[in-house]
Amino acid sequence: MITVTRPWLPDKSRLDGYIQSIYDSGYITNKGPLVQELECRLTKYLNVKHLILVNNGTSALQVAYRALGIQGEVITTPFSFVATSSSLLWQDNKPIFADIAPKTFNISAAEVEAKITKKTSGIVPVHVFGNPCEVEAIENMANQHDLKVVYDGSHAFGSQYKGQSVLSYGDISTLSFHATKLFHTIEGGAIITSDDKLAEKVRLMINHGIANEESTPLCGINAKMNEFSAAMGLCVLDDIEIIKSSRKNVWNYYQNELEEIVGLQQWSNESNNNYAYAPIILSSETQLLKVKSALNLNGIMPRRYFYPSLDNLPFLGGNPKCEVSNDIAQRILCLPIYPTLEKKQYEQVVNIIKSNL
Ligand code: T4K
């Protein structure tokens, strides 16, 4: 079976080395040496000021909202994985959907502006499939209206805008290091900020608010990463260039073969693709279902990320329908892309698509 993705599994003997070091130190969680080493390496690799590792991308978002005091209505995108909105709701915020741009699939800055009211507390855009949002327009708007911005950068590991990591934008950017991600720690995530005080607050918050044995200055939660996850992350990071270049080969093949016959996500000239996902847009939902079932019949399992548009979920209703998001959600298919996908396999994917359009 060819699935939409497969986690990168690093050389087992290298992982064994890290596992042995965990056995030797007896430290398995609570900011152990491997978590510290991975934080250091990722901070340098992504060239960001502060990066704090957490247990998953959803708690990264929840801690971010809480640390920034986001409370009330929050403008976000209906075209994302459900965790972007459900994390807001879980923290008693009300997601207000602004529609997306039809070519980039990212929240439209103009639509965000139209939704700002006195009740708005923050903006949570997503760099969908790693594609950088309109970060400058969003920053200007947030400054003008005194709003906090949390970028859900779950897909944006290694994405760059104007030569720097797009994760350095916003009050906070978050990452997911779930197994299905380009860079992963089995389960995991990170919170990124350039603000020293905020970074300190986040570090306390993810550790129950505990500063030391005698002092618990604020209310926190347990969102820490453990040492086994960090060990996996260190090994995956060693292989990151292989992971990126093999994904790039698959992505380029899809683009060359399919750009004339299906729709592709538009990236600005100033952004660098990280090849995290390979979405295509079919001409109609009927055509999508035909292509998908032909692929499925051959054991190929692309995914409808993200269907349905989140404004259709029963617990996220009450917003006016977002037409562009609904239209894209009905016609999008994410094709298999991962480093161990063989050329004959992605050639087969393309051939089946071509013969079913
Ligand atoms: N914000 C955004 C924008 C996100 O995309 C996500 C997560 C989050 C926030 C929240 O971050 P986390 O709290 O999850 O860290 C997956 C992931 O579970 C989820 O992390 C991800 N986004 C979302 C886009 O995709 P599913 O339902 O597609 O996973 P699943 O289990 O169907 O896996 C897809 C395919 O991958 C399978 O068909 C087979 C393969 N696979 C998967 C796993 C887990 C393997 O071969 N081995 C494996 O271990 O959600």
Side-chain angles (χ1 to χ4, degrees), residues 238-351:
D238 286 342
D239 298 336
I240 199 72
E241 296 312 321
I242 306 168
I243 296 171
K244 271 170 40 184
S245 68
S246 44
R247 284 174 163 274
K248 184 176 176 181
N249 286 341
V250 181
W251 198 95
N252 282 343
Y253 182 82
Y254 285 146
Q255 185 186 33
N256 291 338
E257 293 295 318
L258 297 173
E259 67 186 343
E260 303 294 333
I261 47 178
V262 297
L264 297 178
Q265 185 181 31
Q266 194 177 79
W267 287 61
S268 98
N269 290 335
E270 304 197 281
S271 303
N272 288 16
N273 201 329
N274 63 352
Y275 311 104
Y277 291 85
I280 60 167
I281 303 289
L282 285 308
S283 63
S284 65
E285 190 171 26
T286 312
Q287 189 184 62
L288 174 139
L289 294 173
K290 184 176 172 213
V291 167
K292 183 171 178 286
S293 72
L295 289 166
N296 289 169
L297 273 176
N298 286 276
I300 300 165
M301 303 294 167
R303 285 294 282 270
R304 298 185 75 181
Y305 296 137
F306 296 102
Y307 175 83
S309 175
L310 296 176
D311 46 348
N312 295 288
L313 299 193
F315 53 91
L316 289 169
N319 279 284
K321 282 271 165 292
C322 293
E323 281 177 28
V324 183
S325 177
N326 275 272
D327 176 46
I328 296 295
Q330 277 160 6
R331 297 189 288 124
I332 195 162
L333 203 57
C334 285
L335 303 181
I337 183 165
Y338 49 89
T340 51
L341 189 66
E342 290 169 22
K343 187 153 193 272
K344 63 174 187 307
Q345 295 176 310
Y346 52 84
E347 281 172 352
Q348 190 194 5
V349 172
V350 162
N351 290 338

Side-chain angles (χ1 to χ4, degrees), residues 3-7 56-59 61 80-81 83-84 126 152 154-155 176-181 187-188 277 303 305-306:
T3 46
V4 66
T5 188
R6 275 183 92 80
N56 62 60
T58 307
S59 53
L61 288 167
S80 183
F81 187 60
T84 311
V126 179
D152 179 346
S154 290
H155 306 167
S176 162
F177 298 151
H178 183 262
T180 54
K181 297 292 189 286
E187 292 274 1
Y277 291 85
R303 285 294 282 270
Y305 296 137
F306 296 102

Side-chain angles (χ1 to χ4, degrees), residues 85-266:
S85 280
S86 57
S87 59
L88 280 168
L89 212 53
W90 199 265
Q91 295 299 126
D92 283 336
N93 289 296
K94 182 172 183 207
I96 302 291
F97 292 129
D99 211 345
I100 58 169
K103 302 274 186 218
T104 64
F105 316 153
N106 283 334
I107 198 165
S108 145
E111 292 289 327
V112 173
E113 185 138 44
K115 299 278 174 172
I116 295 174
T117 69
K118 287 205 166 57
K119 291 187 196 158
T120 310
S121 174
I123 311 172
V124 179
V126 179
H127 303 298
V128 176
F129 307 133
N131 189 11
C133 289
E134 296 172 74
V135 284
E136 281 137 355
I138 292 169
E139 189 168 289
N140 289 340
M141 223 181 290
N143 288 339
Q144 203 183 328
H145 296 274
D146 196 21
L147 298 172
K148 301 291 184 196
V149 180
V150 174
Y151 282 103
D152 179 346
S154 290
H155 306 167
F157 187 92
S159 294
Q160 293 201 323
Y161 179 68
K162 293 191 175 169
Q164 73 177 82
S165 170
V166 74
L167 300 164
S168 50
Y169 285 85
D171 294 287
I172 285 180
S173 286
T174 65
L175 277 164
S176 162
F177 298 151
H178 183 262
T180 54
K181 297 292 189 286
L182 153 72
F183 168 80
H184 77 91
T185 60
I186 309 173
E187 292 274 1
I191 296 175
I192 290 169
T193 181
S194 304
D195 180 325
D196 299 347
K197 280 201 174 126
L198 188 58
E200 214 35 59
K201 187 174 181 186
V202 165
R203 286 196 184 283
L204 285 175
M205 278 189 147
I206 65 159
N207 184 31
H208 310 275
I210 298 172
N212 57 50
E213 281 177 34
E214 277 104 46
S215 157
T216 304
L218 49 82
C219 174
I221 197 162
N222 179 5
K224 297 178 296 297
M225 179 176 279
N226 70 70
E227 290 289 279
F228 289 87
S229 282
M232 178 62 92
L234 286 163
C235 293
V236 176
L237 193 56
D238 286 342
D239 298 336
I240 199 72
E241 296 312 321
I242 306 168
I243 296 171
K244 271 170 40 184
S245 68
S246 44
R247 284 174 163 274
K248 184 176 176 181
N249 286 341
V250 181
W251 198 95
N252 282 343
Y253 182 82
Y254 285 146
Q255 185 186 33
N256 291 338
E257 293 295 318
L258 297 173
E259 67 186 343
E260 303 294 333
I261 47 178
V262 297
L264 297 178
Q265 185 181 31
Q266 194 177 79

